[in-house]
């Protein structure tokens, strides 16, 4: 039997119990509650536009992958600033980020429009993105923003399908028909159509249809069957001219405020990077699905579609050549971007043109009137 007195035994048990509790506390893992970083974005698109939906799609991918550590909220155009003021608002921190197109910043440096306007030396939009990511374009955007004192992190993504020449009260058959028209477009397309004799008004997306309805403009382009239908173009015009070089290689831009982006840890930056890539692919697939369906609905609504005559397309190329010659003489970085694009396009375009089969031949084989059916 123990020689300890009852009082001694009680003191021993109390000390042992306290030590066990302390040991348990030391052994328990420290659980930290992750902080949520919330970012307020604005798009340059009306809330009903499919483009705003693309912005929401990107945000959802980031939010889902970040698991509560990062949350992006996207507001529609005009919620905080007008569409064309997005870049300054993001740079100053009025907004944490935004979704738009780089051509909207054309007024700050004309070279920025080269990521959207013009024939891009024969590159399609996906090839322009290839040049951007692997041919030096990304570094050139950063260089331009630095000269503008815009502290932003820019991501280009989402190759857009070729945009129509636009919506007209009556179809145009030759280049001369463009002269004197009051026409809406943006970016370097402003200079191209001005060179062709039109009177250009670079309205943001949400203002185009009201202006066309009130006769403030005679014709306008925006982008695609889905956006054009949602914005109400078929309510004010019934003729749409398809195919054009004015914006045949455009992409979207996702902007982050520089300090906010730099303050994120490496894992969250990686999530953003891969979300951009995933959203780029997803946007391309969704565009095919939705644009093709809305093209049918526009036809049902009585819209007549015409292929833009080759004479007008050639006139666009001629006007483009004159435009870029003027801009290159005025702006050294403009020429630097053009030279970079041209070098990439000459190599990549040769490969694509030589390797790519004529898909139209196969389509006509199965679906053209009188074509052979399987």
């Amino acid at each position: 039997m123990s020689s300890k007195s009852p009082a001694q035994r009680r003191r021993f048990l109390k000390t042992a119990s306290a030590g066990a509790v302390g040991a348990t506390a030391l052994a328990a893992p420290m659980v930290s509650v992750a902080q949520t970083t919330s970012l307020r974005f604005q798009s340059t698109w009306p809330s009903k536009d499919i483009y705003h939906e693309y912005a929401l799609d990107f945000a959802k991918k980031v939010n889902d992958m970040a698991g509560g550590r990062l949350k992006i909220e996207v507001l529609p155009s005009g919620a905080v600033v007008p569409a064309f003021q997005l870049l300054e608002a993001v740079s100053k921190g009025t907004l944490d980020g935004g979704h738009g197109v780089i051509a909207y910043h054309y007024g700050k440096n004309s070279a920025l429009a080269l990521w959207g306007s013009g024939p891009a030396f024969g590159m399609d939009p996906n090839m322009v993105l290839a040049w951007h990511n692997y041919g030096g374009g990304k570094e050139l955007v950063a260089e331009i923003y630095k000269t503008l004192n815009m502290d932003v992190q820019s991501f280009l993504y989402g190759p857009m399908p070729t945009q129509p020449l636009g919506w007209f009260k009556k179809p145009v058959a030759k280049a001369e028909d463009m002269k004197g028209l009051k026409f809406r477009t943006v970016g370097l397309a402003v200079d191209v159509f001005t060179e062709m004799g039109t009177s250009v008004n670079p309205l943001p997306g949400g203002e185009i249809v009201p202006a066309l309805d009130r006769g403030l403009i005679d014709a306008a382009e925006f982008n695609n069957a889905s956006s054009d239908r949602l914005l109400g173009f078929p309510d004010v015009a019934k003729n749409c001219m398809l195919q054009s070089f004015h914006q045949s290689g455009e992409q979207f831009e996702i902007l982050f405020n520089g300090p906010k982006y730099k303050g994120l840890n490496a894992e969250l930056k990686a999530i953003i990077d891969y979300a951009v890539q995933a959203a780029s692919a997803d946007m391309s697939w969704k565009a095919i699905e939705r644009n093709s369906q809305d093209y049918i609905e526009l036809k049902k609504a009585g819209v007549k579609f015409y292929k833009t005559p080759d004479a007008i397309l050639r006139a666009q190329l001629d006007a483009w050549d004159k435009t870029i010659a003027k801009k290159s003489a005025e702006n050294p970085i403009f020429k630097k971007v053009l030279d970079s694009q041209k070098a990439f396009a000459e190599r990549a375009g040769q490969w694509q043109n030589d390797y790519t089969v004529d898909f139209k031949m196969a389509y006509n084989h199965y679906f053209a009137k009188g074509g052979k059916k399987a």
Side-chain angles (χ1 to χ4, degrees):
M1 294 182 66
S2 171
S3 60
K4 294 180 180 179
S5 68
Q8 288 175 321
R9 285 199 296 272
R10 284 195 297 271
R11 283 196 300 272
F12 172 79
L13 291 173
K14 185 176 180 181
T15 303
S17 176
V21 171
T24 301
L26 289 172
M30 296 296 289
V31 178
S32 61
V33 179
Q35 295 288 326
T36 298
T37 299
S38 296
L39 301 178
R40 187 173 63 158
F41 274 46
Q42 182 190 292
S43 81
T44 56
W45 322 112
S47 58
K48 64 181 180 179
D49 188 7
I50 191 173
Y51 283 3
H52 186 69
E53 187 176 328
Y54 293 153
L56 296 174
D57 289 343
F58 164 73
K60 185 176 187 304
K61 286 174 172 58
V62 172
N63 296 346
D64 288 350
M65 287 192 283
R69 290 166 294 164
L70 182 63
K71 183 178 181 181
I72 296 176
E73 175 194 12
V74 184
L75 304 170
S77 177
V80 179
V81 296
F84 292 164
Q85 294 178 21
L86 182 69
L87 179 61
E88 296 97 326
V90 173
S91 178
K92 292 176 182 177
T94 306
L95 289 161
D96 299 316
H99 183 281
V101 289
I102 200 166
Y104 276 8
H105 319 321
Y106 162 75
K108 296 167 183 63
N109 190 311
S110 58
L112 290 171
L114 289 170
W115 277 262
S117 302
F121 299 103
M123 291 192 288
D124 67 23
N126 202 45
M127 290 176 73
V128 173
L129 271 183
W131 161 74
H132 177 77
N133 286 300
Y134 292 98
K138 188 185 299 183
E139 292 75 17
L140 287 166
V141 168
E143 180 180 342
I144 295 170
Y145 282 155
K146 187 175 181 180
T147 65
L148 296 172
N149 295 316
M150 294 293 170
D151 192 356
V152 295
Q153 179 68 38
S154 170
F155 295 90
L156 264 63
Y157 89 110
M160 300 182 195
T162 301
Q163 299 175 34
L165 178 64
W167 293 77
F168 294 77
K169 295 297 175 69
K170 61 180 182 179
V172 288
K174 53 189 183 298
E176 288 73 19
D177 293 342
M178 299 292 295
K179 292 181 179 178
L181 284 178
K182 291 178 289 184
F183 189 79
R184 181 272 176 190
T185 191
V186 294
L188 280 168
V190 170
D191 300 86
V192 170
F193 284 109
T194 299
E195 189 71 42
M196 293 176 68
T198 65
S199 175
V200 179
N201 190 343
L203 296 169
E207 298 178 21
I208 306 170
V209 170
L212 195 57
D213 187 35
R214 296 198 301 269
L216 300 177
I217 53 177
D218 303 314
E221 60 81 38
F222 184 63
N223 195 281
N224 65 87
S226 298
S227 293
D228 291 355
R229 182 180 173 221
L230 285 168
L231 290 175
F233 276 91
D235 297 330
V236 296
K238 291 297 183 183
N239 301 291
C240 184
M241 308 294 301
L242 299 180
Q243 301 182 23
S244 179
F245 283 122
H246 77 281
Q247 284 172 315
S248 55
E250 193 169 17
Q251 321 81 34
F252 294 103
E253 181 185 40
I254 294 168
L255 285 170
F256 284 81
N257 170 263
K260 283 288 178 71
Y261 178 81
K262 291 167 190 168
L264 300 174
N265 63 39
E267 185 180 3
L268 291 179
K269 288 178 181 175
I271 285 172
I272 289 169
D273 187 36
Y274 291 120
V276 168
Q277 295 179 43
S280 189
D282 188 37
M283 171 263 152
S284 301
W285 305 328
K286 180 181 278 191
I288 293 171
E289 162 69 8
R290 294 276 284 279
N291 291 178
S292 61
Q293 289 190 8
D294 285 316
Y295 182 41
I296 291 172
E297 294 303 316
L298 287 171
K299 288 180 178 178
K300 288 180 180 177
V303 175
K304 294 181 180 178
F305 290 92
Y306 304 87
K307 180 198 173 297
T308 299
D310 287 350
I312 293 178
L313 296 177
R314 284 192 290 269
Q316 284 184 328
L317 293 175
D318 290 340
W320 175 254
D321 290 344
K322 294 175 183 176
T323 296
I324 60 176
K326 291 177 184 176
K327 298 298 181 185
S328 294
E330 298 167 356
N331 184 357
I333 191 67
F334 190 98
K335 185 178 186 304
K336 187 175 180 179
V337 175
L338 271 181
D339 290 345
S340 178
Q341 281 188 344
K342 189 173 184 178
F344 189 89
E346 186 172 13
R347 169 170 54 86
Q350 181 73 68
W351 164 80
Q352 174 150 300
N353 293 335
D354 288 351
Y355 269 67
T356 304
V357 73
D358 183 358
F359 289 106
K360 195 170 183 179
M361 180 188 293
Y363 181 88
N364 289 338
H365 178 78
Y366 294 107
F367 302 112
K369 194 171 184 179
K372 183 179 178 181
K373 303 291 177 66

